[in-house]
Amino acid sequence: MPVGRSLGPATRPACDDTPGDGDAGEGTVLTTAYAVPGVDPAVAVAVAEDTGAHSLVVAESVGQLPPELRKLTDARTS
């Protein structure tokens, strides 16, 4: 995923999306948020992962991905 300028520190909340699996889940993770070129940061940002890759995080208020994001996500599935 292409990333733009750093937007600063970000926090990924704790997650235990599979309760009862014997795993305590993951705790809060501190990371860095980056702008996605051509996309308003209020719509989506990229966040750094431990692997050096970036994940796309889309605002919950977004009902349908704008065309510039669909291009990015379609390219990853092709």
Side-chain angles (χ1 to χ4, degrees):
M1 159 158 317
V3 296
R5 66 183 171 82
S6 172
L7 299 173
T11 303
R12 187 171 57 217
C15 176
D16 185 13
D17 59 357
T18 51
D21 68 353
D23 184 7
E26 65 178 30
T28 301
V29 176
L30 300 176
T31 186
T32 302
Y34 295 90
V36 176
V39 179
D40 183 340
V43 173
V45 297
V47 292
E49 298 291 341
D50 294 340
T51 61
H54 295 88
S55 293
L56 181 67
V57 178
V58 179
E60 288 183 11
S61 61
V62 174
Q64 187 174 47
L65 289 180
E68 57 273 14
L69 283 179
R70 271 188 273 140
K71 288 178 192 174
L72 289 173
T73 58
D74 288 347
R76 292 190 54 123
T77 58
S78 301

